[in-house]
């Protein structure tokens, strides 16, 4: 009966299946194969293509399927790379919406030719492509810039992370060709800061040909304030005064902001930002080491619609500050890894189930926090508790009872966990799909048997560096659960092996 269904309907049905099941369905018949390929196209899949002459037939084949997203690896200035870029532009360009050249070294001419063949491009990743900006002449010709502008009108996301040679002049040339940008990353680019009154005019003469300045970036943000929604300035050394100036831009309504590793930021500057950009739904302040509990108070008070919050390596945060997170009623992803003064008690009090409806937390990382109290997040799907040397079997059982919906669990380097703890905890996690037990030195094959009986949906298991688990036990486990597609087992029983099926 399924064979008689129209291709479009069969594609629609298969699109609801996970990737592994779509691959199985593609083996049923030619019609199902075509439908599965079409379904893959609909699920935002990016194909990573190694740049070599051997890839040319695959590029042509992918073009026939109308794929929309690719990444090119090993891209350089060789004739083979030039040939691949020509093939990509011809076969894939008309439908391509996402293009990643991260870390590549294409020539300026071949890059421009590729862009001109991609009129539907919406996402462009040039992170680490330093060769394009070394000379400072990219898009310097007005005629070329005008042609590129025509094809990049629909570009809404641009990644320029890690470009050591990016300057005001080259940034302005490229960004002017993408008038509808909504998301911009300048992570780990070298920004220079000249605080005080803005100097000079706002025209091109004020654009530096030798450096990337915050003054120029701020001017760009002011010009695009009505459209810009996401900024990544991680690792740029952003100063408190600069962050305040950014937040004060008239008309700017950011949804996502990443400031990972900006160590000079102050609690006061973050508080100012939160007050001025109250519509933020995603904020990353990981590694901003001067921030204290006051930052959490400001976040909770002003960012009522926040959904994702990353606060890794903030070693001045305490449980007292975490209690303030109770104001974030839409929060579903929280990362507090390596916050050594956080134990989880404040989180449970603020976000866990109690007299108020709990936040819909789905992902939580408390890796390398000092000690862990009872966690009670019934809807939590992802949890990382790695590097918790004080986590005992009793704590594991408490986590299992408090977080029964887990699908991804990381417990690597929790050296006190034993077979007895897993015997009590495993039955609470029937939905578990990804489990990391690397370097849990006390676990034996008994734990594998327990997991095999209780966690029937498991797809990935990591038992690397578990000396009391043998390769024979790993093979027996694989026989129990044939749906497990990857078992990381490096140095298990003295062996160095990864099973990928």
């Amino acid at each position: 009966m399924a064979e008689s269904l129209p291709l479009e309907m069969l594609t629609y049905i298969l699109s609801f299946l996970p990737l592994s099941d779509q691959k199985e369905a593609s083996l049923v018949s030619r019609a199902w194969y075509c439908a599965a390929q079409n379904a893959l196209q609909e699920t935002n899949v990016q194909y990573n293509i190694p740049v070599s002459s051997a890839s040319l037939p695959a590029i042509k084949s992918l073009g026939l399927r109308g794929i929309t997203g690719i990444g090119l690896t090993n891209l350089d200035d060789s004739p083979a790379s030039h040939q691949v870029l020509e093939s990509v532009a011809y076969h894939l360009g008309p439908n391509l919406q996402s293009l990643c050249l991260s870390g590549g070294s294409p020539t300026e001419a071949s890059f421009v030719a590729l862009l001109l063949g991609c009129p539907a491009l919406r996402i462009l990743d040039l992170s680490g492509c330093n060769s394009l900006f070394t000379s400072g002449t990219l898009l310097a010709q007005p005629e070329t810039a005008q042609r590129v502008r025509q094809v990049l009108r629909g570009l809404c996301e641009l990644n320029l992370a890690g470009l050591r040679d990016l300057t005001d002049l080259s940034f302005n040339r490229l960004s002017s060709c993408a008038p509808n940008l909504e998301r911009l990353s300048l992570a780990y680019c070298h920004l220079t800061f000249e605080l005080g009154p803005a100097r000079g005019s706002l025209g091109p003469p004020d654009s530096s040909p030798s450096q990337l300045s915050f003054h120029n970036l701020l001017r760009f943000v002011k010009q695009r304030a009505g459209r810009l929604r996401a900024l990544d300035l991680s690792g740029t050394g952003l100063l408190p005064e600069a962050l305040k100036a950014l937040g004060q831009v008239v008309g700017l309504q950011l949804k996502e902001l990443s400031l990972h590793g900006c160590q000079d930021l102050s609690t006061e500057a973050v508080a100012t930002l939160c007050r001025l950009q109250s519509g933020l739904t995603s904020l990353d302040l990981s590694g901003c080491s001067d921030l204290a509990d006051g930052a959490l108070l400001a976040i909770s008070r002003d960012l009522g619609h926040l959904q994702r919050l990353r606060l890794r390596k903030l070693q001045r945060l305490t449980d007292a500050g975490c209690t303030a997170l109770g104001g974030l009623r839409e929060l579903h992803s929280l990362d507090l890894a390596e916050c050594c003064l956080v134990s989880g008690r404040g989180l449970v009090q603020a976000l866990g189930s109690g007299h108020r409806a709990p936040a819909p937390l789905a992902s939580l990382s408390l890796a390398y926090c000092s000690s862990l109290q009872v966690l009670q997040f019934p809807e939590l799907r992802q949890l990382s508790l790695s590097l918790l040397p004080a986590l005992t079997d009793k704590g594991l059982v408490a986590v299992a009872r408090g977080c029964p919906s887990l699908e991804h669990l990381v417990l690597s380097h929790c050296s006190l966990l034993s077979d007895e703890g897993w015997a009590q905890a495993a039955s609470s996690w029937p939905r578990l799909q990804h489990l990391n037990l690397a370097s849990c030195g006390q676990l034996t094959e008994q734990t594998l048997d327990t997991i095999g009986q209780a966690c029937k949906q498991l797809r990935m298991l990591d038992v690397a560096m578990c000396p009391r688990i043998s390769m024979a036990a790993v093979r027996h486990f694989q026989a129990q659960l044939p749906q497990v597609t990857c078992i990381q087992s490096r140095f298990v029983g003295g062996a160095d092996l990864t099973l990928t099926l």
Side-chain angles (χ1 to χ4, degrees):
M1 179 178 178
E3 292 289 342
S4 62
L5 292 176
L7 179 62
E8 293 80 3
M9 184 176 295
L10 193 54
T11 297
Y12 179 72
I13 293 172
L14 294 184
S15 68
F16 289 95
L17 297 178
L19 180 60
S20 58
D21 291 343
Q22 288 184 23
K23 291 165 68 177
E24 292 293 328
S26 68
L27 302 177
V28 172
S29 67
R30 184 171 184 82
W32 281 50
Y33 174 82
C34 294
Q37 297 303 312
N38 291 340
L40 279 174
Q41 174 188 335
E42 295 175 359
T43 55
N44 196 26
V45 174
Q46 175 171 296
Y47 292 79
N48 290 320
I49 303 173
V51 174
S52 72
S53 56
S55 299
L56 295 176
I59 292 172
K60 182 177 181 180
S61 175
L62 291 173
L64 295 174
R65 289 163 45 189
I67 68 159
T68 59
I70 66 165
L72 297 177
T73 60
N74 305 320
L75 183 62
D76 54 26
D77 58 357
S78 66
S81 289
H82 182 71
Q83 189 178 16
V84 166
L85 292 182
E86 285 185 334
S87 181
V88 167
Y90 181 77
H91 294 290
L92 304 178
N95 295 311
L96 211 56
Q97 297 182 22
S98 175
L99 174 63
C100 176
L101 304 180
S102 181
S105 303
T107 64
E108 293 179 19
S110 61
F111 169 68
V112 170
L114 175 61
L115 286 186
L116 294 178
C118 303
L121 211 57
R122 295 181 57 81
I123 301 173
L124 178 60
D125 185 347
L126 299 178
S127 58
C129 293
N130 287 293
S131 65
L132 290 175
F133 301 91
T134 301
S135 68
T137 60
L138 181 66
L139 301 176
Q141 297 299 321
E143 301 83 3
T144 302
Q146 180 61 30
R147 293 175 64 196
V148 171
R149 180 184 175 89
Q150 291 298 319
V151 298
L152 293 186
R153 281 191 170 276
L155 194 72
C156 59
E157 181 173 340
L158 179 61
N159 188 344
L160 301 176
L163 295 177
R164 61 176 179 268
D165 294 321
L166 188 65
T167 65
D168 289 348
L169 199 59
S170 56
F171 172 75
N172 291 346
R173 285 172 182 164
L174 182 56
S175 61
S176 68
C177 292
N180 295 310
L181 276 184
E182 298 176 4
R183 305 170 63 88
L184 172 67
S185 174
L186 293 173
Y188 303 99
C189 292
H190 181 65
L191 272 180
T192 61
F193 299 91
E194 296 181 10
L195 302 176
R199 55 181 177 79
S201 66
L202 296 181
D206 200 35
S207 302
S208 172
S210 59
Q211 63 183 7
L212 182 66
S213 67
F214 177 76
H215 170 71
N216 186 74
L217 173 62
L218 188 61
R219 179 175 56 189
F220 168 82
V221 172
K222 290 177 179 178
Q223 293 170 347
R224 307 291 183 94
R227 187 173 292 274
L228 204 59
R229 293 295 176 264
L231 268 178
D232 188 347
L233 299 177
S234 298
T236 58
L238 199 67
L239 298 176
E241 295 85 348
L243 182 60
K244 291 179 182 179
L246 193 64
Q248 292 169 354
V249 171
V250 177
L252 182 64
Q253 297 181 355
L254 288 176
K255 294 296 182 183
E256 301 177 24
L257 179 62
S258 181
L259 301 172
H260 182 104
C262 293
Q263 299 183 12
D264 294 324
L265 293 182
S266 65
T267 295
E268 179 191 0
V270 170
T272 300
L273 173 80
C274 293
R275 188 180 75 253
L276 297 171
Q277 296 296 321
S278 58
L280 282 169
T281 60
S282 178
L283 179 62
D284 187 351
L285 296 173
S286 300
C288 300
S289 53
D290 283 346
L291 300 185
D293 289 344
L296 290 186
L297 294 174
I299 290 170
S300 178
R301 181 182 63 242
D302 296 318
L303 302 185
H305 298 293
L306 199 64
Q307 299 174 15
R308 294 175 296 278
L309 178 60
R310 292 174 58 87
L311 301 170
R312 279 177 169 253
K313 297 184 179 181
L314 301 191
Q315 298 184 4
R316 298 177 63 186
L317 296 188
T318 69
D319 282 338
C322 288
T323 59
L325 295 177
L328 302 177
R329 309 315 302 165
E330 298 180 23
L331 190 68
H332 66 71
S333 178
L334 176 62
D335 190 343
L336 288 168
E338 300 183 69
C339 296
C340 59
L341 299 182
V342 173
S343 70
R345 186 186 300 275
L347 285 179
V348 173
Q349 181 181 343
L351 301 177
S353 53
H355 63 282
R356 293 194 303 171
L361 204 61
S363 176
L364 173 64
S365 177
L366 291 171
Y368 206 65
C369 292
S370 59
S371 60
L372 184 67
Q373 307 296 328
V374 176
L375 296 179
Q376 296 179 2
F377 299 107
E379 303 302 319
L380 196 68
R381 295 194 299 273
Q382 299 184 35
L383 177 63
S384 175
L385 300 177
S386 60
L387 291 162
L388 292 182
L391 182 63
T392 63
D393 288 342
K394 183 178 179 180
L396 177 67
V397 174
V399 170
R401 292 172 180 170
C403 307
S405 301
L406 289 182
E407 297 174 1
H408 293 67
L409 177 61
V410 180
L411 294 169
S412 60
H413 298 87
C414 294
S415 55
L416 295 183
L417 299 183
S418 72
D419 296 336
E420 182 179 349
W422 270 102
Q424 301 176 61
S427 60
S428 297
W429 288 319
R431 302 182 186 179
L432 208 58
Q433 298 179 21
H434 294 252
L435 177 60
N436 188 336
L437 298 175
S439 296
C440 292
Q442 293 194 47
L443 300 183
T444 72
E445 58 196 60
Q446 181 179 335
T447 289
L448 291 188
D449 290 338
T450 300
I451 293 170
Q453 295 172 18
C455 308
K456 298 296 185 181
Q457 296 189 34
L458 199 67
R459 294 293 185 271
M460 193 284 288
L461 175 68
D462 190 340
V463 288
M465 305 296 288
C466 292
R468 301 180 66 183
I469 296 178
S470 66
M471 280 310 304
V474 170
R475 294 189 185 97
H476 177 69
F477 178 83
Q478 181 62 62
Q480 277 186 292
L481 294 179
Q483 79 276 10
V484 178
T485 56
C486 183
I487 301 179
Q488 299 287 341
S489 52
R490 291 173 59 85
F491 304 110
V492 164
D496 182 2
L497 181 63
T498 298
L499 298 180
T500 303
L501 305 174

